[in-house]
Amino acid sequence: MKSLLFVPADNERKLAKAVACGADALAFDLEDSVLPARKALARQMLVDYLKTYAGSSEVWIRVNDLASGETLADLAAVIGSGPVGIVLPKIFGPECLERVSHYLDMAEIAAGRPLGSTAILAVCTETPAAVLRMGELLKKPIPRLRGMLWGGEDLSSAMGAGDPRAEDGRWRPVYEHARSQCLLACHALGVEALDTVYVDFRNPDGCRANSQAARYDGFTGKIAIHPDQVPIINAAFTPAEEEIAFAQRVIAAFDSGAGAVSLDGKMLDIPHLKAARRLLAAAGR
Ligand code: COA
Ligand code: MG
């Protein structure tokens, strides 16, 4: 998925707007964009809304984290709506994913859904423990895990730290580290890697540059918080015609059967060939 738009589940206008925004996926939010007193209302509004949802975006639901005491109520309420999956925030390590996988087994059986049909997107950098323990995810594969995403704001809040970004807008070192950990873990696990939100949603040029940098770094998609960000992210994660043409030239350069070739005066070897093939696959060629 290239774009995943977060939509507060207790906001009628945003629910209505989400259907046609063109995102590959929607993450209806029951967690931090919903105040504690409105959790039950948000669940009910979302379940009612999904009864008639006819959009083409995949439906994901961000449930409340395991420490909140709300997760079971969220799963019991929403799994019957048949979401593609849930977004699980604030994990501490693989045991959180195992526990929620078991909860999902039960919720699916209770709702008459196929066992194992609900996927998980895990938010893997919101607690210091999750960042330190990211490698442990490799030891215990979670079949439901479809991807991971990262965020800096909750990590900073968990540490009692200040703004995670420096004055020039760059992430401070610890958040850059968390971002890299997320990226490496996703690729080691073979799951989707989603970059965090670009919060300045009135700045399309900034969003474009930020999204392009994320794809260049190896992310496969990005979170959006506003419908205006969706087409920008979709475009940034779609290879441009020049890139496709170049990848085709790279592949053609290997026609001779040699493992190292030259193109435009530069040496190319097998990693370049693999990158070109991956780019064409991402472009659907
Ligand atoms: N999903 C769906 N629709 C959205 C939306 C979203 N995330 N954000 C804005 N819209 C809608 C608005 O409702 C409005 O439509 P309307 O006039 O029919 O009501 C239109 O898009 C334009 O919105 P705008 O006035 O520019 O923004 P806003 O001030 O209403 O909202 C935010 C700004 C940041 C509060 C809002 O974008 C938002 O709630 N984002 C998601 C926050 C979230 O989920 N955070 C947790 C995950 S990080
Ligand atoms: Mg959060």
Side-chain angles (χ1 to χ4, degrees):
M1 77 181 67
K2 299 185 290 292
S3 52
L4 174 69
L5 174 68
F6 274 80
V7 185
D10 64 341
N11 187 308
E12 250 166 46
R13 294 180 70 118
K14 286 174 185 158
L15 288 172
K17 193 96 179 178
V19 192
C21 72
D24 291 335
L26 300 170
F28 295 104
D29 190 24
L30 298 171
E31 198 217 8
D32 280 350
S33 69
V34 176
L35 292 172
R38 289 173 64 87
K39 297 289 184 194
L41 171 72
R43 275 177 212 126
Q44 195 51 54
M45 285 177 68
L46 179 57
V47 168
D48 289 342
Y49 168 85
L50 290 176
K51 280 179 191 155
T52 57
Y53 173 83
S56 55
S57 310
E58 284 185 355
V59 171
W60 292 78
I61 297 170
R62 181 166 74 170
V63 298
N64 289 281
D65 69 283
L66 284 167
S68 69
E70 301 279 353
T71 324
L72 281 170
D74 288 342
L75 296 174
V78 303
I79 294 306
S81 304
V84 170
I86 59 152
V87 179
L88 183 65
K90 300 183 179 63
I91 67 164
F92 289 89
E95 69 279 5
C96 295
L97 294 173
E98 286 180 298
R99 196 165 138 202
V100 168
S101 291
H102 293 313
Y103 288 170
L104 283 169
D105 289 346
M106 185 63 189
E108 285 164 348
I109 294 289
R113 306 276 315 155
L115 192 61
S117 58
T118 316
I120 299 176
L121 284 174
V123 194
C124 63
T125 64
E126 289 182 322
T127 66
V131 178
L132 287 171
R133 297 177 60 209
M134 200 102 56
E136 291 178 34
L137 296 171
L138 301 181
K139 295 185 196 143
K140 197 115 205 225
I142 305 286
R144 293 182 186 270
L145 191 67
R146 161 118 168 243
M148 298 206 290
L149 45 128
W150 80 282
E153 322 292 343
D154 285 280
L155 183 58
S156 125
S157 153
M159 298 191 297
D163 190 337
R165 290 172 200 81
E167 290 73 27
D168 63 2
R170 286 171 201 254
W171 294 106
R172 292 180 190 277
V174 69
Y175 309 98
E176 201 59 65
H177 170 77
R179 179 179 187 270
S180 299
Q181 287 279 96
C182 169
L183 187 55
L184 291 167
C186 288
H187 287 288
L189 288 162
V191 300
E192 295 196 44
L194 303 179
D195 189 32
T196 196
V197 49
Y198 183 74
V199 282
D200 189 0
F201 64 90
R202 305 267 187 234
N203 178 358
D205 292 338
C207 182
R208 188 172 304 108
N210 185 266
S211 305
Q212 284 167 346
R215 176 160 81 91
Y216 197 86
D217 288 344
F219 284 96
T220 56
K222 187 174 175 69
I223 299 168
I225 42 155
H226 190 284
D228 290 352
Q229 294 183 324
V230 170
I232 297 172
I233 292 173
N234 284 346
F237 280 90
T238 304
E241 282 306 322
E242 309 86 75
E243 291 174 86
I244 293 170
F246 182 72
Q248 285 165 336
R249 288 182 63 223
V250 169
I251 289 169
F254 284 90
D255 278 351
S256 65
V261 298
S262 84
L263 183 68
D264 301 339
K266 289 196 180 116
M267 186 279 285
L268 300 178
D269 60 4
I270 300 302
H272 299 97
L273 179 61
K274 286 184 183 163
R277 286 186 178 142
R278 185 177 302 143
L279 186 131
L280 291 187
R285 305 285 172 104

